Amino acid sequence: IRDSLSDNTDVIDFEEHAPVDRITAAAKDRRIIIDIRNYLDRVRPDVIHARNWGAWPDVAMARLGCFPRPPLVFSFHGLESTRVPLKRKLAFQAMAKLTTKVCAVSDAARRFLVDEYGLKPPIGVLHNGVDTARFEPPPFVDRKRFVIGGMGRLYHTNVKNFPLLIRAGARVRDVGFDVEVR
């Protein structure tokens, strides 16, 4: 597992099960591409996964110097804005040509890549792997309190929108339901 190209300190270390290697660089430090290529040469992965834009260009460029060249899969998880600057659109199109498979996490995200970024199909969709039938709560009428859980990194409040979840829980409570947001 290779951590993001940032200096985030909240990365989980899976210890001996899957050690986390960190490759970090200052903003716009192009030496990161050489560091990633050296890492890929040392580890020799069977496949590389780049998640969202933060790692994709550097990994795609570093991969070009690898022989043999492992497949590169890019997964698009969405944006914080629907405005797509022309420079970013052209960069996405160029990176897609250097990538073995482009995937999105939903049909809407796939359509966004095609419609707004101009990427050419096929683009795969990695659907949610949660078995919702298995985790379906009992009917609300059988419970005294309805608990709503949310999980995600709070720094993406404008994407995950936890403040909206909390406000919605308060409104449901205000109309007479016993609800708790965790």
Side-chain angles (χ1 to χ4, degrees):
I1 295 175
R2 205 236 10 103
D3 178 33
S4 66
L5 302 177
S6 70
D7 59 359
N8 292 337
T9 58
D10 60 347
V11 175
I12 297 171
D13 190 347
F14 296 98
E15 298 167 6
E16 72 277 358
H17 303 292
V20 174
D21 292 317
R22 301 199 63 172
I23 301 171
T24 59
K28 299 186 180 185
D29 183 352
R30 300 305 358 155
R31 290 177 297 177
I32 191 73
I33 294 170
I34 294 167
D35 292 344
I36 294 170
R37 187 190 51 89
N38 291 339
Y39 173 78
L40 295 173
D41 283 343
R42 182 171 50 85
V43 174
R44 299 185 130 342
D46 293 313
V47 65
I48 304 167
H49 171 241
R51 180 193 175 276
N52 268 354
W53 179 254
W56 192 21
D58 294 332
V59 171
M61 296 306 293
R63 174 181 166 264
L64 293 177
C66 295
F67 299 100
R69 189 171 295 147
L72 172 60
V73 177
F74 168 66
S75 62
F76 179 74
H77 293 240
L79 292 174
E80 296 180 22
S81 168
T82 56
R83 186 181 152 279
V84 180
L86 179 61
K87 183 177 176 180
R88 178 65 59 95
K89 181 185 286 194
L90 295 173
F92 260 63
Q93 291 171 7
M95 291 303 108
K97 291 176 182 175
L98 300 176
T99 302
T100 310
K101 183 68 178 174
V102 175
C103 299
V105 297
S106 68
D107 290 319
R110 180 192 52 75
R111 283 191 306 275
F112 189 80
L113 287 173
V114 172
D115 297 345
E116 300 302 322
Y117 279 104
L119 298 192
K120 304 293 182 217
I123 296 172
V125 177
L126 307 169
H127 292 282
N128 189 341
V130 175
D131 181 354
T132 55
R134 178 177 175 203
F135 296 102
E136 185 176 352
F140 182 71
V141 295
D142 294 341
R143 301 176 68 180
K144 292 183 179 186
R145 171 169 277 192
F146 190 72
V147 179
I148 301 170
M151 296 186 80
R153 293 183 70 176
L154 294 178
Y155 81 96
H156 282 302
T157 56
N158 57 337
V159 174
K160 309 273 189 248
N161 209 345
F162 287 112
L164 176 62
L165 174 63
I166 293 166
R167 286 193 306 273
R171 287 181 67 186
V172 170
R173 184 197 61 227
D174 290 346
V175 296
F177 291 95
D178 187 8
V179 65
E180 179 180 351
V181 178
R182 297 186 143 235

